Amino acid sequence: MSLSTDDVAKVAVLARLRLSPDELQTFTGQLNSIVEYVAQLQEPDTTGVEPLAHGVEVRNVFRDDVRGPSLPREAALLNAPKRNPDSFLVPAVLD
């Protein structure tokens, strides 16, 4: 697939770019070389190749979800700007 100067001019208008005729010729050649390079990706035969999300196997390492000691309530509320004896106080967010 080859892009014409009109195609590049249309893309420039859609991108709200003002291109001079010299710039239009330059970008037409550059975009055509990019399109040719991407077309090379369609050349290899990939039948029978399983699609991959990653080129190498990726495995997450998770720790067991084990209950541990919690912070005492008084220590958790120590630096709260507003609080009552049991919890944080926050402004209401209602419309």
Side-chain angles (χ1 to χ4, degrees):
M1 175 184 170
S2 180
L3 298 174
S4 68
T5 306
D6 293 334
D7 294 332
V8 177
K10 182 178 179 181
V11 171
V13 168
L14 292 173
R16 296 183 180 176
L17 298 173
R18 289 187 189 143
L19 299 178
S20 69
D22 291 338
E23 290 174 325
L24 194 59
Q25 290 298 326
T26 301
F27 289 134
T28 301
Q30 290 176 351
L31 285 173
N32 274 322
S33 64
I34 291 170
V35 168
E36 289 172 11
Y37 182 75
V38 171
Q40 291 178 4
L41 297 175
Q42 296 176 355
E43 291 177 5
D45 181 24
T46 57
T47 55
V49 177
E50 184 179 338
L52 299 173
H54 295 280
V56 296
E57 183 178 343
V58 177
R59 187 174 60 92
N60 286 333
V61 179
F62 295 106
R63 65 175 174 84
D64 291 334
D65 192 12
V66 178
R67 179 185 241 181
S70 62
L71 192 61
R73 182 177 305 198
E74 195 55 40
L77 295 172
L78 188 63
N79 291 325
K82 292 184 181 179
R83 64 180 239 190
N84 64 21
D86 296 325
S87 60
F88 294 96
L89 294 176
V90 296
V93 183
L94 304 172
D95 285 335

